[in-house]
């Protein structure tokens, strides 16, 4: 009997040692990357190979130019070859002044239908004659079309557009009230909107509506002295910038965010072969139980 209790005690000790500490919960978020930052000129196969070797689980693709449309099926075909890698999302921009091109989302939905992918939609800069009523009607149309084809829709807040922050976008998502429609939180756009110092509050208030989260290394306050300064001050490789990215990820874990975690790399000048694996390793270290 004494031996039995000894074995039980040893097993209990092993379980206790493996249990993560509070504030150090190991996450299983799929980690994705935009294919910017030096990758956009690379062949599709090389982009996928680099991201897979760097530890990423998928891609986020912009579908805007004719070249983007041509590459989308190539990305889908290439990622179909790998069970451990996928295209998590394709994003489009609905620019009000583009009366024909703004409906390109239809073709994108048709291509990604029933592939467990998201369609991210950015409504462009504000224009006279386009108001909340128009947005609601169009977003309902997009969501209904996508829902019938097995595609989840994400309303994408973006600086200098109709919705610049997740708190601006969330009420429309809530009003439409479809389980297929959510919004996204982009750390760098929240910093640009002046929400960096209250990101905990932003996450807490919108969590039930979040379908995607993206981040980058960023300064705590955006530099608006020029468009270039705005971008470079808020989009850096993970590990650079004055904003506490570890605390941001801790908050997501605290509120049990479930979904893709995307890494933004727009206009990063460093070599993707260097910053991509380094950023991925830092995210893993930030979310590991071994803190």
């Amino acid at each position: 009997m004494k031996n039995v209790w000894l074995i039980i005690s040893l097993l209990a000790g092993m379980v206790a040692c493996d249990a993560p500490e509070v504030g150090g919960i190991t996450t299983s978020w799929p980690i994705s990357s935009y294919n910017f930052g030096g990758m956009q000129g690379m062949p599709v196969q090389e982009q996928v190979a680099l991201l897979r070797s760097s530890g990423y689980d998928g891609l986020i693709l912009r579908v805007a130019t004719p070249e983007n449309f041509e590459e989308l099926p190539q990305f889908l075909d290439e990622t179909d070859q790998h069970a451990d890698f996928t295209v998590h999302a394709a994003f489009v921009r609905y620019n009000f002044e583009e009366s024909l091109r703004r409906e390109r989302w239809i073709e994108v939905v048709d291509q990604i239908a029933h592939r467990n992918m998201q369609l991210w939609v950015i409504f462009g800069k504000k224009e006279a004659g386009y108001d909340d009523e128009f947005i609601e009607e169009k977003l309902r149309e997009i969501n209904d079309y996508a829902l019938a084809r097995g595609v989840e829709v994400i309303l994408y807040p973006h600086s200098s557009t109709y919705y610049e922050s997740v708190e601006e976008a969330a009420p429309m998502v809530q009003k439409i009230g479809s389980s297929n429609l959510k919004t996204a939180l982009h750390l760098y756009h929240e910093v640009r909107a002046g929400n960096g110092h209250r990101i905990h509050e932003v996450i807490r208030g919108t969590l039930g509506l979040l379908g995607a989260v993206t981040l980058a290394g960023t300064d705590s306050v955006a530099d608006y002295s020029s468009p270039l300064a705005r971008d470079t001050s808020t989009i850096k490789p993970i590990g650079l910038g004055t904003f506490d990215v570890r605390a941001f990820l801790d908050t997501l874990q605290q509120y049990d965010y479930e979904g893709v975690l995307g890494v933004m790399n727009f206009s990063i000048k460093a070599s993707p072969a260097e910053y991509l694996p380094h950023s991925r390793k830092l995210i893993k270290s930030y979310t590991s139980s071994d803190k």
Side-chain angles (χ1 to χ4, degrees), residues 187-199 216-224 232-236 240-245:
L187 175 59
Y188 35 95
H189 290 306
E190 295 301 320
V191 170
R192 294 178 191 181
N195 294 329
H197 69 287
R198 53 184 294 273
I199 200 68
T218 177
D219 290 334
S220 300
V221 178
D223 180 352
Y224 270 97
T232 56
S233 65
T234 55
I235 300 177
K236 309 171 185 286
L240 300 181
T242 59
F243 188 92
D244 190 347
V245 169

Side-chain angles (χ1 to χ4, degrees), residues 48-241:
V48 172
L50 174 58
L51 285 168
R52 290 184 67 230
S53 66
S54 299
Y56 291 82
D57 304 298
L59 268 166
I60 300 165
L61 299 174
R62 182 181 72 159
V63 187
T65 67
E67 292 76 18
N68 296 152
F69 278 96
E70 291 175 6
E71 284 187 338
L72 179 56
Q74 296 177 43
F75 276 108
L76 298 177
D77 289 343
E78 177 62 26
T79 55
D80 280 347
Q81 308 305 312
H82 308 286
D84 61 347
F85 195 86
T86 189
V87 177
H88 284 129
F91 74 93
V92 297
R93 183 165 172 140
Y94 192 97
N95 291 324
F96 303 114
E97 73 276 12
E98 297 178 352
S99 57
L100 295 178
R101 291 181 61 201
R102 67 189 186 187
E103 304 298 338
R104 56 193 164 213
W105 59 269
I106 298 173
E107 182 179 345
V108 177
V109 171
D110 288 344
Q111 289 197 51
I112 67 176
H114 306 293
R115 298 183 66 96
N116 193 31
M117 287 177 57
Q118 295 174 330
L119 176 75
W120 295 3
V121 181
I122 303 170
F123 284 97
K125 65 179 182 179
K126 293 183 177 181
E127 296 281 346
Y130 296 95
D131 54 12
D132 285 356
E133 184 177 350
F134 177 89
I135 295 290
E136 180 181 351
E137 182 178 348
K138 178 55 61 174
L139 196 52
R140 287 185 185 275
E141 177 190 348
I142 294 172
N143 185 59
D144 289 346
Y145 190 90
L147 177 60
R149 291 157 181 79
V151 176
E152 185 178 43
V153 178
I154 305 296
L155 179 55
Y156 189 142
H158 190 291
S159 54
S160 303
T161 68
Y162 199 91
Y163 297 113
E164 297 195 86
S165 71
V166 67
E167 289 177 319
E168 291 182 5
M172 180 58 72
V173 172
Q174 198 161 28
K175 182 178 182 181
I176 292 175
S178 168
S179 61
N180 192 64
L181 174 65
K182 294 183 174 64
T183 187
L185 188 154
H186 306 288
L187 175 59
Y188 35 95
H189 290 306
E190 295 301 320
V191 170
R192 294 178 191 181
N195 294 329
H197 69 287
R198 53 184 294 273
I199 200 68
H200 184 101
E201 177 185 346
V202 171
I203 294 172
R204 183 180 63 218
T206 60
L207 184 64
L209 301 173
L210 290 182
V213 172
T214 68
L215 77 162
T218 177
D219 290 334
S220 300
V221 178
D223 180 352
Y224 270 97
S225 61
S226 70
L228 177 61
R230 183 202 67 175
D231 288 348
T232 56
S233 65
T234 55
I235 300 177
K236 309 171 185 286
I238 305 296
L240 300 181

